[in-house]
Each structure stands twice: as structure tokens, then as C-alpha cells.
Amino acid sequence: MDLDLSWEKKALIGLGVIALIILIYAYNPLHSPGEVIVQNDTPAPQPLRTMPFTTSSSESNNTTQTNTTSLNITSQQAKEIAAETGLRTGEPASGSIKINNETISVWIVPLYKQNKLEKEVYVNKVNGNIVATKEF
């Protein structure tokens, strides 16, 4: 059996073989991808922490006799508030964060694990509450 194949027929056969290989690779009926496992790694909410220091209050004697309590958190107190077991606390930086169109003055406390930034904790400068956390 002698087939007379010109170069056009050979090129057409070559393109057909390439297309067949691509289709087999794309649909790959011989190899299943296996079971897909989806994990939800959302952290559990942390319990509220009490402040490890006392508040200072100043009284102003006006005609209305009002008492005002003001509390300003220092960077050292912010480090104590944001500290977590297993993580090393870095030096806090002063900043602000916008939540619900309200700008809040905060201490940004970095937390490290094995010299790698693991998390940033935003501590409110006025009342010492943890406003937000950002994990890396």
C-alpha cells in the first residue's frame, strides 16, 4: 500500500495529532484530580481583656460640678494590652484607623513569630480597647 502524501497532507495530519494531544491533556480521563479539601481558617474571636493598669481621673470644679475621666494609653500599656502568648511584641507606632466613617487614634502594635510579622493589633489610645487586628 503506497500512499502519496504531499506536504499539505502531512501538515494536516500533524495538526490533527497535536489537537488530539491537547484534548486528551485538557480533559485527562486517565487521571482524576483527587478529593478537594476546603478548610476554613477563620480565627476564633478573642475574649475581652481587662486593662492591666488603673485609670487616672481628673476632677474639674466648675459651677456645674462635673467629673471628667480622661485616659490616655501609653505605648508600653498598648504593648501589654496587645500581647499574646507565643508572639513577640514589637515597638508600637502611633496612627489612626477609620471605622464606620469615624477616625480613631490608635497604637499599632506589631506581633512577631520567629522574627516574621504575624499580626498587627490596633489599640485605641483613649480607652485601651482593641479596635481591630490585621493578620499576615
Side-chain angles (χ1 to χ4, degrees):
M1 182 169 162
D2 190 19
L3 294 175
D4 183 26
L5 296 177
S6 62
W7 70 270
E8 292 96 358
K9 290 181 183 177
K10 291 179 184 177
L12 189 58
I13 291 171
L15 286 175
V17 169
I18 291 173
L20 184 63
I21 290 172
I22 290 173
L23 284 173
I24 290 173
Y25 179 75
Y27 291 106
N28 203 0
L30 303 175
H31 176 13
S32 65
E35 189 176 326
V36 177
I37 299 172
V38 178
Q39 292 180 344
N40 187 2
D41 291 335
T42 56
Q46 296 180 352
L48 293 176
R49 297 183 191 168
T50 58
M51 291 188 288
F53 47 87
T54 58
T55 60
S56 62
S57 64
S58 62
E59 295 181 18
S60 63
N61 293 324
N62 295 359
T63 57
T64 58
Q65 292 293 337
T66 59
N67 293 334
T68 2
T69 302
S70 66
L71 175 67
N72 290 321
I73 305 298
T74 65
S75 64
Q76 184 62 33
Q77 291 169 333
K79 282 174 72 170
E80 293 171 8
I81 292 170
E84 291 184 17
T85 56
L87 298 176
R88 182 178 58 86
T89 307
E91 283 302 313
S94 181
S96 63
I97 188 170
K98 194 169 198 175
I99 299 176
N100 296 334
N101 292 328
E102 180 182 348
T103 304
I104 302 170
S105 182
V106 294
W107 287 108
I108 304 168
V109 183
L111 300 177
Y112 297 95
K113 185 175 187 177
Q114 298 174 349
N115 291 332
K116 181 182 170 199
L117 182 61
E118 188 77 19
K119 183 187 286 191
E120 282 182 347
V121 179
Y122 299 89
V123 179
N124 191 329
K125 282 185 176 181
V126 177
N127 58 16
N129 291 338
I130 295 177
V131 178
T133 59
K134 180 179 178 183
E135 295 192 25
F136 296 96

